[in-house]
């Protein structure tokens, strides 16, 4: 079976975890958490990075930090994971969905402005597949209308827009270290703060609404409840696993790039024949090669190809059910037909296996199987 995703680790992860446990500080903000935060801040030239329990948690914190309130509106794509919208809904605010671009599956920046009104508080661009949104244009719109920008960079750790790392461009960035992402500790994430305005309050919200971080630094002699918050701190055991993953960050990126390019070169002729479309990385974007997807011409053909590959023991998957078409999206007043590009993409996309334990033979087997699908019978 060729699995869609497989985690990669070696002795280092295990050695670091053992060290974390033996230090007997296994809650958050221990030695390994500090090392990870420093490594990320330095590499990404970020003002402040805090490890949290997931990208969902980072998004929830971001929604608190920008003071989202009842009936506020936040603009985001519908083609995203549920957490982007949940963070807004949990504050009593409303996600306002806009369409994506068919070229790169990121938010269609040109359709943002028409959705802005007096209730709009923020924009949440999602950098899909590790490919950057058009950030200069987006930030300019946000500035013009005095809106906050929260980057959902869950999939885009170590990817760039021009010379800036994703997550470090808006007011706040959110990273994921979930098992399915490029760098992982099972469940984990980080909050990137690009504006000093948020530093102090972020520390408090992350520590259940208390000033415990100040207490641990010896700045105050007891800590107390001073704001809303929750338990957002990542365990140092997980940070230890994560440090080992991040210390080979660029090696992982380069190996993913090789796989991505092998697929791209291998499938180019099928694109020329017009039976499928390959992803296009925008000129301003340096990808981390999180996802390799193909776009089929119809939903029927996508489903047929997916089943064909399944019979050949290749796990290929699709996502997302557009948020505006989901049961929850319908409750919010959206309906099928509202966002045509998103709907078309979600019905025709197919994601191919991409992980470090994929062998060259397996990649060629997948490419050959796709050719066979298109040549064996008329479809
Ligand atoms: C994976 C993902 C998330 C959620 O990440 P978790 O760390 O699992 O909470 C949020 N947004 C996007 C776009 C994602 O791909």
């Amino acid at each position: 079976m060729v699995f869609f995703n497989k985690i990669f680790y070696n002795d280092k992860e295990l050695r670091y975890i053992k060290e974390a446990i033996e230090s007997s500080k296994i809650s958050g903000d221990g030695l390994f958490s500090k090392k990870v935060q420093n490594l990320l801040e330095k590499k990404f030239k970020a003002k402040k990075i805090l490890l949290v329990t997931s990208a969902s948690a980072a998004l929830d914190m971001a929604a608190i930090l920008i003071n989202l309130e009842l009936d506020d509106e936040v603009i985001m794509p519908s083609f995203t994971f549920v957490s982007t919208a949940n963070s807004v809904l949990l504050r009593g605010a409303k996600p306002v969905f806009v369409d994506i671009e068919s070229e790169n599956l990121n938010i269609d920046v040109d359709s943002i402005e028409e959705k802005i009104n007096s209730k709009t508080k923020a924009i949440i661009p999602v950098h899909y597949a590790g490919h950057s949104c058009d950030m200069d244009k987006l930030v300019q719109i946000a500035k013009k209308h005095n809106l906050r920008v929260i980057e959902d960079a869950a999939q885009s750790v170590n990817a760039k827009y021009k010379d800036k790392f994703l997550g470090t461009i808006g007011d706040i960035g959110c990273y994921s270290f979930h098992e399915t992402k490029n760098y992982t500790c099972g469940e984990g994430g980080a909050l990137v703060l690009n504006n000093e305005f948020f530093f102090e309050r972020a520390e408090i919200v992350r520590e259940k609404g208390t000033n415990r971080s100040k207490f641990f630094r010896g700045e105050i002699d007891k800590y107390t409840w001073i704001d809303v918050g929750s338990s957002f701190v990542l365990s140092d055991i997980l940070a230890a696993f994560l440090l080992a993953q991040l210390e080979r960050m660029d090696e992982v990126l380069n190996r993913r790039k090789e796989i991505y390019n092998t697929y791209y070169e291998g499938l180019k002729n099928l694109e020329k024949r017009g039976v499928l479309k390959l992803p296009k990385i925008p000129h301003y974007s340096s990808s981390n090669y999180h996802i390799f997807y193909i776009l089929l011409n119809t939903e029927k053909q996508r489903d047929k190809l997916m089943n064909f590959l399944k019979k050949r023991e290749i796990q290929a998957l699709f996502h997302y059910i557009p948020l505006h078409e989901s049961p929850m999206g319908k409750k919010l007043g959206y309906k099928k037909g509202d966002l045509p590009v998103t709907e078309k993409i979600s019905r025709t996309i197919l994601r191919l296996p991409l992980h470090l334990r994929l062998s060259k033979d397996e990649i060629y087997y997948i490419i050959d199987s796709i050719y066979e699908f298109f040549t064996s019978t008329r479809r």
Side-chain angles (χ1 to χ4, degrees), residues 231-251:
S231 185
F232 289 121
V233 183
L234 187 77
S235 158
D236 220 50
I237 301 179
L238 294 175
F241 191 98
L242 185 59
L243 180 66
Q245 297 260 310
L246 294 175
E247 281 179 346
R248 56 176 106 84
M249 201 166 6
D250 289 334
E251 186 193 323

Side-chain angles (χ1 to χ4, degrees), residues 144-172:
K144 183 173 155 197
H145 298 275
N146 201 19
L147 307 176
R148 294 289 193 190
V149 174
I150 299 170
E151 294 177 76
D152 183 340
Q155 304 181 2
S156 304
V157 180
N158 204 20
K160 284 182 190 169
Y161 171 76
K162 296 184 178 171
D163 61 346
K164 288 194 184 116
F165 283 94
L166 300 185
T168 69
I169 302 164
D171 296 282
I172 298 176

Side-chain angles (χ1 to χ4, degrees), residues 53-57 59 80-81 83-84 126 152 154-155 175-178 180-181 187-189 290 320:
T53 49
S54 64
S56 306
L59 286 159
T80 181
F81 190 60
S83 303
T84 322
V126 177
D152 183 340
Q155 304 181 2
Y175 292 154
S176 175
F177 302 116
H178 185 263
T180 51
K181 304 300 202 278
E187 303 272 359
H290 176 56
Y320 301 100

